[in-house]
Amino acid sequence: MSLSRDIAVMRKTPLLAGMSDEQLRLLAFSSETRRLAPGDMLFDTTEPAIGAGVVASGRLSVTETPGRRARTLGPGSIVNGLALLLEGRPAARAVAEETTEVIVLARTQFRKILVEYPETARELQTRLAQNLIAMTTDLDGVRDRLLAVDAQLAPRDPG
C-alpha cells in the first residue's frame, strides 16, 4: 500500500480523524501493512497487543467473548483501538472474513505523536470522554429496560 492511501484510510477512522496530515503521515510511515487471507487472525486475546489495526480493504470478524455473535468491521474501521493508549492483551479476537488488508499502527509511535502534539492529545481526550458519556447514557437506558422486564416477570404478591 502507498503512504498516501494509508493516510486516506486512516483519515476516515473516527479515532484518528482529528489528526493533521503531518501526524497521519508520521503514523503511516511507522505502520505495517498486513495482508490476511480468509481465516487468518490479526489479533487474539491470548497475545500481547502492540497496537491497533485499521481495515484498509476487506472485512474482519471481531469477537469480544467466545461464543458470542461476532461483529464485522470494514474499511476505515479500527480494531483494538485502546491498545494505542493502553498496554495489555486485545479485548477481542479479529479474523479475516475475506482477503483483507490492515494497517497495523504501533502504540509507541501513536504515543510519541500525542507527546509532540499536545493539542491533539487534548482533542482525543475530549472525544474519548464524550464517547464514554454517550456509552454510559446508553447503558442507563439498557438498565431501565431490564428493570422493567424484571418487574413484569417478578411474582405477584397476592395478598
Side-chain angles (χ1 to χ4, degrees):
M1 244 192 293
S2 72
L3 198 61
S4 59
R5 180 175 174 218
D6 287 358
I7 292 167
V9 170
M10 289 189 295
R11 185 175 289 115
K12 295 177 186 174
T13 304
L15 182 68
L16 307 174
M19 296 182 124
S20 70
D21 287 347
E22 179 182 349
Q23 294 163 347
L24 290 174
R25 190 174 299 106
L26 289 169
L27 200 53
F29 189 72
S30 66
S31 69
E32 169 196 355
T33 299
R34 295 208 31 216
R35 287 171 182 76
L36 305 171
D40 285 352
M41 190 176 324
L42 175 65
F43 294 123
D44 192 9
T45 57
T46 61
E47 301 291 326
I50 59 164
V54 176
V55 180
S57 65
R59 294 184 314 199
L60 290 175
S61 177
V62 179
T63 309
E64 278 88 14
T65 307
R68 303 267 324 242
R69 188 170 149 238
R71 60 190 168 103
T72 299
L73 299 180
S77 299
I78 193 163
V79 61
N80 201 35
L82 282 179
L84 292 173
L85 301 168
L86 307 171
E87 294 182 22
R89 298 188 189 286
R93 181 175 194 259
V95 177
E97 290 184 359
E98 60 191 34
T99 301
T100 302
E101 286 187 333
V102 180
I103 305 164
V104 180
L105 309 174
R107 176 186 314 114
T108 54
Q109 183 63 29
F110 188 79
R111 286 181 174 178
K112 281 181 189 177
I113 290 171
L114 295 181
V115 168
E116 292 177 21
Y117 299 92
E119 69 282 356
T120 299
R122 282 190 295 278
E123 183 180 319
L124 178 62
Q125 180 184 20
T126 299
R127 280 190 288 130
L128 290 174
Q130 290 168 343
N131 290 347
L132 185 57
I133 290 167
M135 184 177 64
T136 302
T137 301
D138 290 346
L139 288 174
D140 284 344
V142 170
R143 182 196 66 215
D144 293 344
R145 287 192 299 275
L146 288 173
L147 289 172
V149 168
D150 191 43
Q152 287 178 340
L153 297 176
R156 305 262 194 280
D157 184 12

